[in-house]
Amino acid sequence: MVTIGVLVRVDPTQEPETEARLGVLEGVQLIPLEEPHTLGAVIQAEDLDEAHERLVTQVQTLPGVLCAWPLHTELASTPPSHN
Amino acid sequence: MQINRRDFVRISAATTAAAAGGPAVAAAARPRAIEWHKSVCRFCGTGCGVQIAVDNGRLVALRGDPEHPTTKGLVCAKSLFLPKIVHSPTRLKYPMIRNAAGELERATWDQAMDLVADKFAQAIRDHGADSVAYYGSGQALSEESYYANRLFKGGIGTNNVEGNPRLCMASAVGGYVTTFSKDEPMGCYDDIDAANTFFLIGSNTAECHPVIFDRIMARKQSNRRTTVICVDPRKSPVQTIADLYLQPKPGYDLALLHAMAQVIIEEKRYDEAFVAQHVNFKTVVDGKPLAVGFDDYREFLADWTPEKAGAVCGVNPESIREAARLFASGPTTSFWTMGLNQRVHGVWANNLVHNLHLLTGQIGKPGATPFSLTGQPNACGGVRDTGSLCHILPYGRVVKKAEHRAQMEAIWGCKPGTIQPKPGLNTIEMFKALGEGKIKAMLVLTTNPGQSLPNLNKHRKAMAGDSFLVVLDAFPTETTKIADVVLPAAMWTEKSGVFGMSERRYQYQPSVVTPPGEARSDYAILVDFARRLEARGAIPKGYATGKLSTTDDCWEEMMQASKDTAYDFRGMPRERLKRERGVRWPAPTVDHPGTARRYVKGEDPLLDSGPYADASLEPGDVKFYAAADGKANIWLRPVVGPAEPPDAEYPFVLSTGRVLEHWHTGTMTRAAAELRRAQPEAFVEIHPKDAKALGIRTGDRVDIESRRGRSTIKARVVDMPQPGMVFVPFHWDDEGSLINEVTIDAYDPGSKQPEFKICAVRLSKAKS
């Protein structure tokens, strides 16, 4: 399991609609932030590939989203040793 | 309830812990025994503060550091994959020597290092110090570049010291030095928050410096007066937020910049008092600088009306006027990168941006600064500042000045007269000399010239020739494929030292995990190499043994070397850097907070004490103290086009660059399967009009041919490059996709930086 915490910068003129669109995405949990016109989104997925895919194809391309930047990524399992 | 970024990061971390442990409620999650460490991102020159988590000796998490003063918790998508990249199974783990059959074969460290030291010592003995060379990187730690520079210039006695920043930012250095008499930006990222006008020229900030782009966007969101001017021959995502987009013909933006200055003067939008007090005017006659006056400049610009410039550069004259007015209204921050630097007249292009800031007084106050962004994490602190190029010495010194050589000889403890007064070979000439057999042995550290040099066929042949090539790297590359010895290097998080990013901020990064196999830090390898050279009599006895054994020792010497220079960072001992989120130089004392804006009384401590102090200034006054008269230069530069404009035989302009998901030659980012899948292969962007004329569709394979070589790459038909122009990112090394086999190695006569951005090519649909 992988989690990415994402800062989503929203078009101020479409804020409620964008929040609503984000709110229905599967595997995405929204958290209001103090910073104006931004939202926190926690994306959970089976692996980093899927999480990245959701960030790029679902969140970043949503109408009203100006950009989305990862703040935090965490792999629930340790990467395999390369030795 | 609304929360801040810091708490948000905590919540998302707890969510992971809950997911890992099973309970549904994050707050109830049992914390995992992971350690968090403060560090700095491995990729571009933005210098994002990050925190990295280690569990059982492995990196398991990365997050933007919400306490970081400039990047405030943001990172870009590439950073997400750094833990995976560090633990990639493709890492180099053992020293390798090329055997008689031409194959790389595992060796012990002693075998490899003895061979390297023998070959270098033999070359120095038989052919002199200038028969060896060092080619470093803006990705090495500052201590590594400093040590290599010290070894080659002060130990061996050759100035053949170069690095890949020659390919990406040498023209920015040339611009700062010729205009302000000293390298490096005077402003900082804080200026973004106070700017009303952003002038983004030759910079795909959105993809190459995403976190800076976000800060620009945040400023635009919060301030309705903010306008963004984007100047780029190719549309990029930057254009999506631009209020004014100018699309000049590739290589002719000098005309546009002069025309903006012409409008500013014509409409009396310049800052007369600032110009009178702080600016000299210069031109070049018979190869020598000549002082002229404001009237000469006005007369020179009279020839560059928006109409005339528009005809040369292909931009609507009214748009030029609008850009000039917005620029002059300010506060204006300019950002640029390779679009200006990778040009045969890159220094002049840099000068002309500085001209606009000086003319309008848009400099030295919040929101007003010319700012060259850097592509590598430590090209500034590591290579520019430590003087690790063929013509310079640490902290603003140059090899040509006897006083500067004497200072460094005293600091390094070498015999007077050791450092040569003549600059060594620049990058292109160095690889040419390698091919001609004049360079007998070369050490390449943390970079991949086998993919990144222009006119690659020529230079790869040189690297694969009879001379001895040793490469230190963390991953297999196009250069390790042709090296005689490959030494496995530790990478980010496996070694400790300092990165210095674009805004003069020096940041410490700790070693938190062990490198794979037998890999060692580049610093440890360099120290070992130096001591073996000493044992063979190739450098003076006592120069390396027992000295600067660790990066901590090296940092102490570096701080002292900055004394009485414009870089003074003696207030940054290791312990301070470990504690704080970096400090911006100058910071001469440990209680100095670091400098946001150089050359400004009240902000720059060097105006208060030391060789540049000036008690006559009032707070807020500007003085460009690196120049003897304290003034900066506005240059009257001619408008000259690219080295190889398109013609009947090669009718298209090729420009190279990057995409968001990959970085440089892709050896790190392609090691992450997710990034590889996101952008799996090279592509060539072709304008729909051109594609139609050539019968090319998206997905077709296209031959891109220049006078130097050919690549065959899949087409993307898209309205991003202008008609007559194609764009190819340079991240891939698959068969046929090395675009630098096509690019040109003509270079700027001042900065010696090659013109990656413009060469002439022809296109055709590939037959197979």
Side-chain angles (χ1 to χ4, degrees):
Chain A
M1 181 63 75
V2 168
T3 302
I4 308 179
V6 179
L7 179 110
V8 183
R9 202 170 286 289
V10 179
D11 182 343
T13 62
Q14 302 181 45
E15 208 152 345
E17 307 92 290
T18 309
E19 188 170 345
R21 287 183 200 116
L22 282 164
V24 298
L25 293 179
E26 191 187 344
V28 177
Q29 182 189 347
L30 287 187
I31 297 171
L33 299 181
E34 289 169 352
E35 201 174 328
H37 319 306
T38 62
L39 289 166
V42 179
I43 302 175
Q44 283 195 291
E46 281 304 310
D47 54 31
L48 205 48
D49 209 2
E50 186 186 323
H52 182 243
E53 180 78 9
R54 279 195 190 158
L55 171 65
V56 173
T57 62
Q58 293 182 17
V59 176
Q60 285 181 339
T61 57
L62 208 64
V65 170
L66 295 175
C67 55
W69 307 102
L71 289 166
H72 168 262
T73 178
E74 188 160 349
L75 316 171
S77 57
T78 305
S81 167
H82 46 28
N83 290 324
Chain B
M1 184 190 70
Q2 293 186 323
I3 60 172
N4 59 32
R5 280 189 197 181
R6 187 178 178 174
D7 290 335
F8 172 62
V9 168
R10 281 208 197 101
I11 286 176
S12 57
T15 308
T16 312
V25 183
R30 189 178 56 211
R32 290 160 58 196
I34 57 174
E35 307 157 23
W36 285 93
H37 303 270
K38 171 178 79 68
S39 191
V40 53
C41 180
R42 171 64 177 80
F43 289 114
C44 76
T46 303
C48 296
V50 300
Q51 296 177 345
I52 40 179
V54 178
D55 186 12
N56 292 325
R58 294 276 174 266
L59 303 179
V60 293
L62 179 143
R63 63 189 182 201
D65 182 352
E67 306 295 328
H68 195 275
T70 55
T71 57
K72 299 176 181 176
L74 293 188
V75 290
C76 76
K78 287 189 290 292
S79 305
L80 293 179
F81 297 95
L82 271 168
K84 291 192 80 170
I85 290 167
V86 168
H87 297 300
S88 165
T90 59
R91 290 282 303 276
L92 293 171
K93 302 180 187 72
Y94 307 102
M96 289 181 286
I97 297 174
R98 196 166 298 282
N99 62 23
E103 289 166 354
L104 285 172
E105 190 174 293
R106 183 172 168 179
T108 66
W109 272 103
D110 269 337
Q111 287 168 335
M113 293 306 296
D114 275 338
L115 177 62
V116 172
D118 284 343
K119 290 283 188 184
F120 273 74
Q122 186 187 349
I124 295 164
R125 188 174 58 244
D126 296 347
H127 304 281
D130 287 338
S131 68
V132 300
Y134 168 81
Y135 188 67
S137 169
Q139 298 160 55
L141 297 171
S142 296
E143 297 88 338
E144 290 164 348
S145 293
Y146 179 91
Y147 191 91
N149 196 27
R150 181 186 191 277
L151 170 62
F152 278 75
K153 287 181 185 155
I156 295 170
T158 179
N159 289 336
N160 288 339
V161 172
E162 277 285 282
N164 59 16
R166 182 70 74 187
L167 308 182
C168 65
M169 55 198 296
S171 295
V173 176
Y176 281 123
V177 171
T178 49
T179 297
F180 301 104
S181 302
K182 206 55 92 176
D183 186 23
E184 296 289 14
M186 58 289 300
C188 61
Y189 297 156
D190 305 5
D191 286 313
I192 297 172
D193 305 334
N196 282 345
T197 301
F198 290 97
F199 186 63
L200 306 178
I201 178 164
S203 166
N204 180 359
T205 326
E207 292 194 88
C208 301
H209 299 91
V211 172
I212 291 174
F213 185 69
D214 179 79
R215 198 157 166 180
I216 294 170
M217 201 172 326
R219 172 66 179 162
K220 199 166 159 57
Q221 271 185 328
S222 64
N223 176 23
R224 289 173 54 200
R225 291 184 59 206
T226 302
T227 54
V228 175
I229 306 167
C230 171
V231 183
D232 200 324
R234 170 184 174 255
K235 290 176 187 169
S236 76
V238 174
Q239 190 228 349
T240 60
I241 66 158
D243 301 277
L244 180 61
Y245 173 51
L246 312 181
Q247 192 174 25
K249 204 167 113 183
Y252 293 94
D253 46 11
L254 300 183
L256 186 153
L257 293 164
H258 276 325
M260 286 174 66
Q262 195 272 343
V263 171
I264 287 165
I265 291 178
E266 178 79 14
E267 297 184 359
K268 298 196 178 348
R269 293 174 188 270
Y270 61 98
D271 186 332
E272 199 172 344
F274 186 91
V275 168
Q277 198 176 347
H278 300 294
V279 176
N280 292 319
F281 294 87
K282 285 189 178 170
T283 188
V284 174
V285 176
D286 296 332
K288 289 184 181 162
L290 179 72
V292 293
F294 178 78
D295 289 341
D296 299 299
Y297 182 51
R298 178 162 44 196
E299 195 178 321
F300 168 82
L301 289 177
D303 202 30
W304 286 107
T305 62
E307 281 68 24
K308 180 180 171 185
V312 171
C313 70
V315 174
N316 179 330
E318 279 314 305
S319 296
I320 297 175
R321 286 193 175 86
E322 192 182 348
R325 289 164 193 152
L326 288 168
F327 193 105
S329 66
T332 299
T333 291
S334 297
F335 287 121
W336 66 94
T337 53
M338 305 311 140
L340 288 195
N341 295 342
Q342 291 180 329
R343 303 266 297 280
V344 285
H345 298 295
V347 173
W348 295 359
N350 275 260
N351 287 148
L352 299 201
V353 175
H354 296 317
N355 282 1
L356 294 173
H357 282 272
L358 291 168
L359 190 59
T360 54
Q362 297 292 345
I363 193 164
K365 55 191 180 188
T369 193
F371 197 134
S372 156
L373 296 171
T374 55
Q376 297 186 89
N378 200 26
C380 288
V383 174
R384 283 160 73 165
D385 299 356
T386 67
S388 300
L389 291 170
C390 68
H391 62 302
I392 51 178
L393 289 167
Y395 308 117
R397 299 174 175 97
V398 292
V399 299
K400 279 184 179 171
K401 284 195 178 172
E403 182 191 356
H404 290 176
R405 294 196 304 277
Q407 287 167 1
M408 287 317 302
E409 284 165 351
I411 291 164
W412 285 344
C414 47
K415 203 170 73 179
T418 302
I419 301 173
Q420 294 190 43
K422 189 181 165 196
L425 297 170
N426 68 66
T427 292
I428 296 300
E429 297 303 324
M430 183 187 277
F431 282 94
K432 191 175 155 200
L434 187 74
E436 292 167 349
K438 293 174 186 163
I439 299 279
K440 305 290 181 189
M442 182 186 281
L443 189 145
V444 173
L445 182 145
T446 320
T447 186
N448 183 12
Q451 184 175 344
S452 61
L453 287 177
N455 195 0
L456 197 54
N457 285 322
K458 178 171 108 182
H459 298 300
R460 272 182 71 87
K461 196 173 161 192
M463 283 181 262
D466 293 337
S467 297
F468 182 74
L469 184 71
V470 52
V471 177
L472 284 65
D473 211 306
F475 287 93
T477 68
E478 286 297 305
T479 316
T480 62
K481 279 182 190 171
I482 48 178
D484 296 290
V485 173
V486 175
L487 301 174
M491 67 174 291
W492 180 79
T493 67
E494 297 167 348
K495 58 184 184 179
S496 61
V498 172
F499 271 1
M501 41 83 125
S502 297
E503 64 160 3
R504 295 173 280 107
R505 183 180 295 275
Y506 286 175
Q507 306 190 90
Y508 178 79
Q509 52 177 294
S511 166
V512 296
V513 292
T514 53
E518 296 177 6
R520 295 178 181 175
S521 77
D522 303 77
Y523 190 85
I525 297 169
L526 287 168
V527 170
D528 185 359
F529 174 50
R531 291 177 182 176
R532 286 175 202 257
L533 284 181
E534 188 180 309
R536 287 159 176 77
I539 63 173
K541 199 157 183 60
Y543 191 69
T545 303
K547 287 182 183 166
L548 309 189
S549 299
T550 67
T551 54
D552 287 357
D553 302 336
C554 191
W555 186 252
E556 285 296 319
E557 183 176 295
M558 293 163 72
M559 281 196 300
Q560 294 315 312
S562 75
K563 181 175 184 287
D564 290 339
T565 75
Y567 296 69
D568 197 338
F569 61 96
R570 286 174 297 149
M572 297 188 205
R574 264 308 202 244
E575 286 313 310
R576 182 180 183 188
L577 289 185
K578 284 179 184 175
R579 199 173 54 244
E580 297 184 17
R581 265 81 176 168
V583 181
R584 291 180 286 220
W585 59 263
T589 56
V590 289
D591 58 353
H592 191 275
T595 303
R597 290 173 196 88
R598 296 165 85 191
Y599 309 134
V600 179
K601 183 73 171 180
E603 295 203 43
D604 187 332
L606 301 188
L607 285 167
D608 297 328
S609 64
Y612 302 115
D614 187 339
S616 70
L617 300 176
E618 297 291 326
D621 283 354
V622 169
K623 183 177 181 183
F624 300 110
Y625 50 71
D629 63 359
K631 292 186 174 184
N633 300 316
I634 281 182
W635 285 94
L636 285 61
R637 299 295 197 190
V639 173
V640 184
E644 189 184 59
D647 53 26
E649 200 180 352
Y650 296 91
F652 289 90
V653 168
L654 165 69
S655 192
T656 61
R658 305 183 195 177
V659 297
L660 177 66
E661 293 81 359
H662 289 295
W663 197 75
H664 275 212
T665 59
T667 53
M668 288 189 291
T669 47
R670 283 186 284 111
E674 296 82 356
L675 293 174
R676 215 167 48 234
R677 277 192 287 271
Q679 289 282 4
E681 59 186 340
F683 58 87
V684 51
E685 288 179 358
I686 306 174
H687 191 274
K689 280 185 189 168
D690 295 327
K692 189 177 176 188
L694 294 163
I696 291 169
R697 293 181 177 182
T698 292
D700 287 346
R701 290 171 64 74
V702 176
D703 287 333
I704 308 165
E705 194 177 358
S706 74
R707 293 180 172 88
R708 295 154 296 280
R710 184 170 68 177
S711 288
T712 305
I713 294 174
K714 272 190 185 170
R716 275 189 196 174
V717 178
V718 60
D719 178 20
M720 290 183 79
Q722 57 185 264
M725 175 189 187
V726 294
F727 170 81
V728 180
F730 73 107
H731 308 296
W732 293 272
D733 61 2
D734 312 299
E735 183 69 30
S737 70
L738 283 168
I739 193 60
N740 278 324
E741 290 182 351
V742 179
T743 53
I744 192 168
D745 60 355
Y747 58 79
D748 183 306
S751 69
K752 324 297 183 196
Q753 179 161 353
E755 190 159 57
F756 286 93
K757 288 297 176 195
I758 302 163
C759 74
V761 296
R762 59 186 172 210
L763 308 177
S764 57
K765 196 169 164 179
K767 291 198 168 59
S768 55

